[in-house]
Amino acid sequence: MSHAANVKEKVLGFLSGKSGENPFHLFAELRDLGSVVSIPNPMGDPNKNAWMITKMNTATKVLKDSKRFTVDPASIEKESGFRQEMVSDPDDSPDTFFTGKSMVFIDGIDHKRLRMLVSKAFTPKYMEGLRPRIQEIADGLLDQVESKGEMDLVKDYAYPLPIIVISEMLGVPKEDHENLQIWSSAIAKGLGWGKQDPSVQQHLKDFGDYTKRLVEKKRTHLEDDLISQLIQIEEEGERLSEEELISMITLLIFAGHETTSNLIATGSMMLFEHPEQLEKLKSNLELVPTAVEELLRFNGPSTSVGPRFAKEDLEIDGQEIKKGDMILVLVKSANRDEEVFTESEELDVSRSIHRHLAFGFGMHMCLGAPLARVEGDVAFTTLLKRLPNVELSIPPEKVKWQFTLSTQGLSSLPVSF
Ligand code: HEM
């Protein structure tokens, strides 16, 4: 096998969750092969080419070009619905963000309409208003473990914080948080290229059934929360269907915590692995917002953004792409692009970053980025202020990573302080 084929095969193994190896040297080798690299179609369709975008400038070009690329292959050719290939949706299931019509998988005016309905609740200004409550939640979680001198940073801190925040915004009762965690993490872990754990379908169904019941309950007793606001919009009749409502709620729950938990947990791990950067940050906590951007760039939660599909025959960086081809933008590779970042493979918490792609780019850029940024800021500042001696309590090589298609995380992170 040639070197190029070998690198591509390893990257695909990594993306399908089969390999747990550190991918960054593979991404560097991939960038050496070019900015647009052909790969065997990860969905197994031999009639459609697939490509990986490895570098920053090409990635931003593709992600902002909604005229020539779409997230919705069914808008090009009816039969090529890749989600249908990954999850066959039984007729009686309520729709979820994955099986139904959610903003992340559609383009054009429908995307704009759905995104507009919730965008006010995710502006940086609105998020600043939530900061005191996020602070209270972070403090409450540390109060529970402080006297013990140790905790699992994933289970006790990184995981519950974002789920409590998004659940309170939406109006999801506390007693249901655990189920949401179970469904969301099973779905995140169960989906990958060419991979679908048999349990995913059941978890999606349970998640959808639950959300439908919650909406029915809330209809009789609207409150001051985002789900109640969306129900009112749906009941007005024109702007949101019930299918879209359920898809939207499940999307906000799913997108709103798994990734942010990973930012907090992986970010902490990156700091433990770079003790001089951890010390730099501890001695100047005002650097935390800058450090959050660097942690997102250096090893953010998302490996790639959702695939794009070419709407026409076209050319990118001299490479011919055919209508219907799948394009996978590897944001983790673009974020280490040596043509854009000096010493791109180094972590520098004081680095000033003009742009990274951890939240994607263009019209599908992460809606929740302002929330994730405030949560990251509060989480790291509170952790380092209250537990300045926090350190890993197992050797770094024993820490268990979970590498999956869309996100990367840790199953646990034992620390002492
Ligand atoms: C560190 C945390 C987070 C990361 C790294 C992250 C990453 C991303 C990325 C890369 C995309 C773009 C997907 C694409 O273009 O295909 C995205 C979209 C999205 N994110 Fe996040 N996200 C985070 C937190 C959140 C939070 C807290 C929410 C809140 C609900 C959220 C809601 C969404 C939504 C609704 C979309 C779809 C936007 C659209 O299609 O227009 N995310 N996210």
Side-chain angles (χ1 to χ4, degrees), residues 103-104 111 115 252 255 259-260 302 305-306 308 358-360 364 366 368 372:
M103 75 178 97
V104 72
H111 170 261
R115 189 162 167 136
L252 295 176
T259 41
T260 316
S302 305
V305 299
R308 302 309 198 250
F359 291 120
H364 287 280
C366 180

Side-chain angles (χ1 to χ4, degrees), residues 63 71 102-107 111-112 114-115 118 122 127 162 165-166 169-170 226 248-249 251-264 292 296 300-308 331 356-373 375-376 406-407:
L63 292 176
V71 291
S102 67
M103 75 178 97
V104 72
F105 293 122
I106 51 175
D107 279 321
H111 170 261
K112 219 182 206 165
L114 291 174
R115 189 162 167 136
V118 282
F122 288 95
M127 287 311 137
V165 174
I166 193 72
M169 278 181 78
L170 286 161
L226 199 50
M248 175 88 87
I249 297 168
L251 172 66
L252 295 176
I253 293 172
F254 181 77
H257 76 278
E258 190 76 26
T259 41
T260 316
S261 312
N262 287 333
L263 163 65
I264 300 168
V292 166
L296 284 162
S302 305
T303 304
S304 61
V305 299
R308 302 309 198 250
V331 294
H356 64 66
L357 297 184
F359 291 120
F361 190 69
M363 66 179 203
H364 287 280
M365 186 178 163
C366 180
L367 173 82
L371 173 57
R373 287 185 158 121
E375 288 178 330
S406 54
T407 55

Side-chain angles (χ1 to χ4, degrees), residues 168-183:
E168 287 188 0
M169 278 181 78
L170 286 161
V172 173
K174 201 162 183 249
E175 60 271 22
D176 299 334
H177 292 186
E178 203 180 323
N179 270 337
L180 297 183
Q181 287 187 15
I182 294 171
W183 296 322

Side-chain angles (χ1 to χ4, degrees), residues 93-336:
S93 304
D95 292 300
T96 59
F97 71 97
F98 196 77
T99 51
K101 202 171 157 201
S102 67
M103 75 178 97
V104 72
F105 293 122
I106 51 175
D107 279 321
I109 49 170
D110 277 347
H111 170 261
K112 219 182 206 165
R113 172 177 55 87
L114 291 174
R115 189 162 167 136
M116 282 287 288
L117 293 176
V118 282
S119 55
K120 259 203 226 121
F122 288 95
T123 56
K125 192 163 160 231
Y126 191 94
M127 287 311 137
E128 280 309 315
L130 290 186
R131 188 182 281 270
R133 177 63 192 135
I134 298 175
Q135 183 65 58
E136 242 170 51
I137 296 168
D139 279 322
L141 291 167
L142 292 188
D143 287 345
Q144 286 174 30
V145 292
E146 195 168 18
S147 62
K148 295 185 196 156
E150 58 178 24
M151 67 168 159
D152 176 350
L153 200 143
V154 173
K155 187 167 84 31
D156 297 322
Y157 194 57
Y159 219 89
L161 178 87
I163 187 87
I164 298 173
V165 174
I166 193 72
S167 297
E168 287 188 0
M169 278 181 78
L170 286 161
V172 173
K174 201 162 183 249
E175 60 271 22
D176 299 334
H177 292 186
E178 203 180 323
N179 270 337
L180 297 183
Q181 287 187 15
I182 294 171
W183 296 322
S184 300
S185 77
I187 294 164
K189 280 182 208 129
L191 290 174
W193 291 116
K195 164 186 163 199
Q196 183 206 325
D197 286 355
S199 65
V200 166
Q201 195 151 315
Q202 189 59 43
H203 288 298
L204 280 168
K205 183 171 159 37
D206 293 344
F207 195 6
D209 282 335
Y210 164 78
T211 308
K212 201 172 157 91
R213 282 197 306 276
L214 181 64
V215 164
E216 290 317 320
K217 209 155 78 191
K218 274 193 188 279
R219 273 192 207 286
T220 59
H221 183 65
L222 293 175
E223 288 168 298
D224 182 19
D225 57 46
L226 199 50
I227 294 184
S228 298
Q229 283 171 28
L230 289 169
I231 290 175
Q232 281 167 291
I233 294 172
E234 184 240 342
E235 288 178 348
E236 283 166 18
E238 281 171 17
R239 287 184 291 161
L240 187 67
S241 68
E242 186 174 355
E243 177 199 340
E244 291 167 341
L245 172 67
I246 308 282
S247 296
M248 175 88 87
I249 297 168
T250 51
L251 172 66
L252 295 176
I253 293 172
F254 181 77
H257 76 278
E258 190 76 26
T259 41
T260 316
S261 312
N262 287 333
L263 163 65
I264 300 168
T266 309
S268 301
M269 180 63 198
M270 293 299 103
L271 292 170
F272 295 139
E273 284 191 328
H274 297 82
E276 72 303 337
Q277 296 297 317
L278 178 58
E279 285 311 312
K280 194 168 170 181
L281 196 54
K282 275 201 293 200
S283 65
N284 181 6
L285 288 177
E286 301 214 328
L287 268 184
V288 169
T290 311
V292 166
E293 297 308 315
E294 171 67 347
L295 291 168
L296 284 162
R297 177 199 76 83
F298 184 72
N299 197 351
S302 305
T303 304
S304 61
V305 299
R308 302 309 198 250
F309 299 85
K311 286 159 91 169
E312 56 191 65
D313 292 351
L314 51 90
E315 199 193 289
I316 329 173
D317 293 358
Q319 188 65 61
E320 272 183 33
I321 308 282
K322 290 262 171 268
K323 180 176 170 180
D325 282 3
M326 179 190 274
I327 290 116
L328 209 54
V329 177
L330 279 183
V331 294
K332 268 189 208 267
S333 174
N335 282 341
R336 297 265 185 128

